[in-house]
Amino acid sequence: MCDENKAACQVCRAPLPPVTRGRPPAYCSRGCQAKAYRRRKNPPPAPAAPEPGTRPSRRREISEALWRVAAERGLDAASMREVAAEAGVSLRVVQYHFDSKHRLLVSALRLLNEDNERHGRARMASVDPSDSRALLGAILSEFLPLDDQRRAALRVFAAYYARSLTDPALASVFLHDAQPVEELVAGVIERAQRDGTAAPGLDPRHEADLLVAGITGLGMDVLHGRRTVAEVRRAVDYHLGRVFAAGPGGA
């Protein structure tokens, strides 16, 4: 009969050999011991707290564990066994909720998108929607690692992008044809042109493509330490100044 109290490695959950004397080991190898040390020294950002009075679902806990593995080591390291260990559950539990790694990746991505949208809407609630320049600035700021939540999300999205280059099934989900952010930015510019606060000669869609692509790359530069947030803000302000340069007769 299996011994339910048999000790397991605190990192990978592999069974540990029994000991007859001395202090029992906590890890199965030096590699797991080093991994535990790194996690204690550089813990990942804590996930957003659940609503008061609720407990995170098991699927959410597993998805958040995948985010942490992806942010730290990339999606190639996010095997279902590794995700189970990170979530503190058995492999069987992960397999019960997600019958394949692809389903786990897709579900975790959709949940991350939902979380980002919810956080973004909350942050932009204080922005005057009639101020097109401030609104557009707030939208673009969502692509910058300005806090732990956005920093962690950007790292996870970067991991998904890298994986999508060699995983056509994931690419079809991650790199879909819809471009809601570009459409949103273009809509803000079009409205500003009608109000007379944006340059009338600009093509809103081309401007949106340039702004979204540019801020995405700049956000990655901040993550890598190649640019500072202050430098990126100056670049954004420069381009917003160009877009919102009202023409003759404008405000």
Side-chain angles (χ1 to χ4, degrees):
M1 223 177 136
C2 177
D3 181 2
E4 295 180 353
N5 296 318
K6 189 173 182 180
C9 173
Q10 293 183 9
V11 174
C12 71
R13 314 305 300 172
L16 296 173
V19 295
T20 57
R21 54 192 296 182
R23 185 177 180 181
Y27 311 104
C28 65
S29 66
R30 289 185 180 276
C32 282
Q33 185 178 13
K35 184 185 297 184
Y37 172 78
R38 289 195 300 271
R39 288 179 181 174
R40 288 195 299 270
K41 187 176 181 181
N42 299 297
E51 295 296 322
T54 66
R55 179 184 182 278
S57 70
R58 184 67 79 189
R59 289 175 66 89
R60 168 172 274 279
E61 290 175 346
I62 294 170
S63 294
E64 290 176 350
L66 182 138
W67 299 345
R68 293 192 294 273
V69 174
E72 183 181 348
R73 290 176 283 153
L75 281 183
D76 285 344
S79 67
M80 296 182 80
R81 187 177 299 279
E82 283 291 319
V83 172
E86 179 66 32
V89 300
S90 69
L91 177 60
R92 286 181 178 272
V93 170
V94 176
Q95 292 172 330
Y96 172 79
H97 290 283
F98 305 96
D99 59 9
S100 68
K101 181 174 178 178
H102 177 74
R103 288 185 182 276
L104 171 57
L105 294 179
V106 171
S107 178
L109 175 62
R110 287 174 176 163
L111 183 59
L112 183 60
N113 282 328
E114 291 170 4
D115 276 14
N116 272 4
E117 183 175 353
R118 184 177 69 255
H119 286 298
R121 288 183 182 278
R123 281 188 287 262
M124 286 190 284
S126 61
V127 178
D128 181 358
S130 66
D131 186 341
S132 297
R133 177 166 179 161
L135 180 60
L136 185 50
I139 293 170
L140 296 178
S141 291
E142 289 302 304
F143 292 83
L144 299 177
L146 301 181
D147 51 40
D148 285 346
Q149 185 269 326
R150 278 176 281 194
R151 185 177 299 106
L154 285 175
R155 291 182 66 90
V156 177
F157 282 130
Y160 269 93
Y161 181 80
R163 172 79 180 217
S164 71
L165 295 175
T166 57
D167 186 338
L170 183 62
S172 66
V173 178
F174 182 68
L175 301 173
H176 48 73
D177 293 334
Q179 296 178 315
V181 179
E182 288 86 347
E183 292 173 1
L184 176 61
V185 170
V188 172
I189 295 173
E190 287 175 352
R191 188 187 69 180
Q193 286 178 320
R194 291 193 297 270
D195 294 343
T197 56
L202 299 178
D203 183 307
R205 187 50 198 250
H206 288 168
E207 293 296 329
D209 287 341
L210 183 63
L211 286 170
V212 173
I215 199 65
T216 300
L218 291 171
M220 291 296 109
D221 277 357
V222 174
L223 277 182
H224 280 290
R226 297 184 65 242
R227 301 176 194 271
T228 66
V229 171
E231 289 172 336
V232 171
R233 285 196 183 280
R234 286 195 292 271
V236 171
D237 286 343
Y238 169 82
H239 286 286
L240 291 181
R242 182 178 56 81
V243 170
F244 289 96

